[in-house]
Amino acid sequence: MSETQAGAEALETHNAILRKGLSKKLIENFNYHPAILPASRKLGKTNPHYGDNTAHFMPIIHYLEPHLKWLDISQIALAGDEEMTEQCSICELIGPDGLLIADTFRVGLMLVMPQTVFPAQYHDATESLFVLSGKLVHHQPGHEELILQAGTTLFHDSFDIHEMRTQNQPLLAVYAWTGEIASAPLLA
């Protein structure tokens, strides 16, 4: 057996264990109920825009799709912004409110409709954002504006003020928070 075949078999075994473990965790976690919101209904529209270096994530996301609990972003962040209800959904995969429970970090998906503006904000947690599809324009005071596309990662330290806007395609990104994960973002 070649090294490539052995690696492929190991990956397939790894994926099977993850699928079985996730299914078991979903059955055990009776308080977790999948939910669909206006923005999350557009998850399928992200497919044409993912990049080559993120394509391997999309089958996993589509496998999980029936089990995902999408939250209105105003339930988590920027409370009171009704427009964001239609424009952005968050799905915590791992964390205090996730499919898998963890109390020291949060990892999830963020789905944002085209031409959506996130006003200047900051939060206690450190944050990384990995773009799976779409494009995001990021601005941080004192820094050059960045355009992030599929396969790029962004990091914010605690209390870094930042603002973002999507471009002409839906944005699908993986976010991760560490540190003070209980505090919601605040408008700057």
Side-chain angles (χ1 to χ4, degrees):
M1 179 181 300
S2 75
E3 202 173 298
T4 303
Q5 289 171 321
E9 285 183 21
L11 178 60
E12 188 56 40
T13 300
H14 173 78
N15 287 341
I17 291 168
L18 287 174
R19 284 191 296 271
K20 183 178 179 182
L22 181 58
S23 296
K24 181 179 178 188
K25 189 67 175 176
L26 287 170
I27 291 167
E28 290 173 355
N29 191 352
F30 295 109
N31 294 327
Y32 188 91
H33 302 286
I36 296 173
L37 294 173
S40 66
R41 286 189 188 103
K42 305 209 173 43
L43 180 61
K45 293 188 178 183
T46 61
N47 285 345
H49 309 292
Y50 64 78
D52 290 340
N53 46 347
T54 62
H56 54 282
F57 286 104
M58 298 313 285
I60 296 166
I61 292 168
H62 288 292
Y63 174 79
L64 292 172
E65 190 173 0
H67 306 290
L68 299 178
K69 179 181 179 181
W70 292 93
L71 299 173
D72 167 350
I73 195 168
S74 69
Q75 294 173 305
I76 301 170
L78 309 176
D81 190 343
E82 295 301 318
E83 185 177 322
M84 292 303 273
T85 301
E86 298 291 322
Q87 299 301 313
C88 183
S89 293
I90 299 258
C91 176
E92 187 168 296
L93 299 172
I94 304 170
D97 304 310
L99 280 164
L100 301 174
I101 306 301
D103 58 4
T104 59
F105 63 94
R106 294 179 187 270
V107 175
L109 298 172
M110 179 170 70
L111 179 62
V112 188
M113 294 301 95
Q115 304 300 325
T116 300
V117 176
F118 284 82
Q121 59 181 288
Y122 63 94
H123 35 78
D124 294 349
T126 59
E127 175 183 37
S128 60
L129 193 68
F130 179 73
V131 178
L132 294 172
S133 70
K135 289 185 181 179
L136 178 70
V137 178
H138 175 269
H139 177 73
Q140 192 171 350
H143 295 81
E144 287 187 36
E145 195 169 80
L146 298 173
I147 298 178
L148 302 161
Q149 56 191 6
T152 57
T153 303
L154 176 70
F155 176 77
H156 297 125
D157 209 346
S158 298
F159 303 105
D160 281 351
I161 296 174
H162 55 282
E163 56 187 283
M164 304 176 286
R165 72 179 180 280
T166 56
Q167 293 195 316
N168 296 326
Q169 305 140 347
L171 173 82
L172 181 62
V174 175
Y175 69 88
W177 278 28
T178 60
E180 287 296 322
I181 64 168
S183 302
L186 300 170
L187 294 175

